[in-house]
């Protein structure tokens, strides 16, 4: 059994030791922060985007880095999940992509403000967060081709810009692209171009309740996309 003086020395020594360990770990963390956060990539656009994020109280609905509200989607890795082009179109007019459904406020951002906000979100998504947030487990909903059908062959036509910039945020072809929506391999076999055209004009009219947004595109862009999808057989 320790004497009173020995107990006092044990307490004082332990306090000093663990204080030094805590101090060391704190300093080590602070030294690593700039590298983990890629501080070198904080451009004026990133700084302006952060100010836009804060001034519009985006955390009142969204979470980022695990902080904020849970009313709207988590945005730490949103640029990775979607794409910069998809976000530009969405932020320009959220309601246009999801008519009657999306509750995202129309802030009437300028093109410059949208670019700055995306720059901020991109920087956030590229910081080293040790695996946070975990990638969601997404269930593929692609329609299987009949067993008697011939193996699908991919179109030799280059994908139009609309597909590469927007569609691949959710859909994949040949294993490349997102997996939020069904893969589009063989879509030209399952659907004809007339159906595809109607679908792209107004997805809700074809299938009420679908998660497919109404993509803003010109008649020429839609015709180019319909032709490409129709050749995926």
């Amino acid at each position: 059994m320790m004497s009173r003086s020995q107990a006092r020395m044990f307490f004082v020594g332990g306090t000093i030791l663990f204080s030094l360990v805590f101090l060391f770990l704190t300093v080590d963390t602070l030294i690593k922060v700039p590298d983990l956060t890629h501080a070198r990539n904080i451009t004026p656009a990133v700084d302006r985007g952060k100010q836009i994020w804060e001034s519009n109280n985006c955390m009142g609905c969204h979470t980022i880095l695990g902080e904020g509200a849970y009313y709207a989607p988590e945005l730490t890795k949103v640029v990775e999940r979607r794409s910069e082009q998809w976000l530009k179109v969405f932020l320009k007019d959220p309601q246009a992509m999801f008519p009657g459904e999306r509750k995202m406020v129309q802030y009437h951002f300028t093109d410059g403000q949208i670019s700055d906000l995306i720059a901020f979100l991109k920087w956030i998504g590229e910081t080293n967060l040790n695996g946070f947030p975990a990638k969601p487990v997404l269930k593929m909903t692609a329609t299987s081709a009949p067993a008697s059908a011939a193996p699908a062959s991919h179109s030799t036509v280059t994908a139009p810009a609309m597909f590469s910039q927007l569609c691949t945020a959710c859909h994949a072809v040949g294993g490349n692209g997102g997996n939020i929506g069904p893969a589009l391999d063989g879509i030209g076999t399952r659907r004809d171009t007339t159906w595809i055209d109607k679908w792209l004009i107004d997805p809700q009219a074809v299938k009420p309740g679908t998660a497919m947004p109404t993509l803003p595109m010109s008649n020429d862009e839609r015709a180019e996309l319909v032709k490409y999808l129709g050749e995926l057989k």
Side-chain angles (χ1 to χ4, degrees), residues 81 136-141 168-172 176-183:
R81 289 199 311 271
V137 178
L138 301 172
K139 182 179 180 181
M140 298 298 289
T141 58
T168 53
C170 298
H171 300 280
N176 297 316
N179 59 0
I180 296 175

Side-chain angles (χ1 to χ4, degrees), residues 72-91:
E74 215 283 338
L75 298 182
T76 302
K77 296 287 185 179
V78 67
V79 177
E80 179 182 315
R81 289 199 311 271
R82 298 294 189 175
S83 69
E84 292 184 43
Q85 186 61 33
W86 192 97
L87 290 172
K88 286 180 181 179
V89 174
F90 177 74
L91 290 172

Side-chain angles (χ1 to χ4, degrees), residues 48-81:
R48 291 193 300 268
K50 182 177 183 294
Q51 294 178 37
I52 293 171
W53 172 271
E54 293 177 342
S55 63
N56 288 280
N57 190 30
C58 298
M59 289 178 69
C61 293
H62 297 277
T63 55
I64 194 167
L65 299 177
E67 297 185 3
Y70 291 87
Y71 177 75
E74 215 283 338
L75 298 182
T76 302
K77 296 287 185 179
V78 67
V79 177
E80 179 182 315
R81 289 199 311 271

Side-chain angles (χ1 to χ4, degrees), residues 105-173:
V105 177
Q106 169 57 282
Y107 288 101
H108 301 287
F109 292 133
T110 65
D111 290 342
Q113 288 175 316
I114 290 174
S115 295
D116 291 342
L117 186 54
I118 292 174
F120 169 66
L121 292 172
K122 183 179 180 181
W123 171 73
I124 286 290
E126 292 176 347
T127 57
N128 186 345
L129 301 175
N130 294 317
F132 175 86
K135 291 183 179 297
V137 178
L138 301 172
K139 182 179 180 181
M140 298 298 289
T141 58
T143 303
S144 300
S148 59
S153 60
H154 303 304
S155 171
T156 57
V157 180
T158 302
M162 176 64 69
F163 186 86
S164 301
Q165 295 172 353
L166 294 180
C167 303
T168 53
C170 298
H171 300 280
V173 169

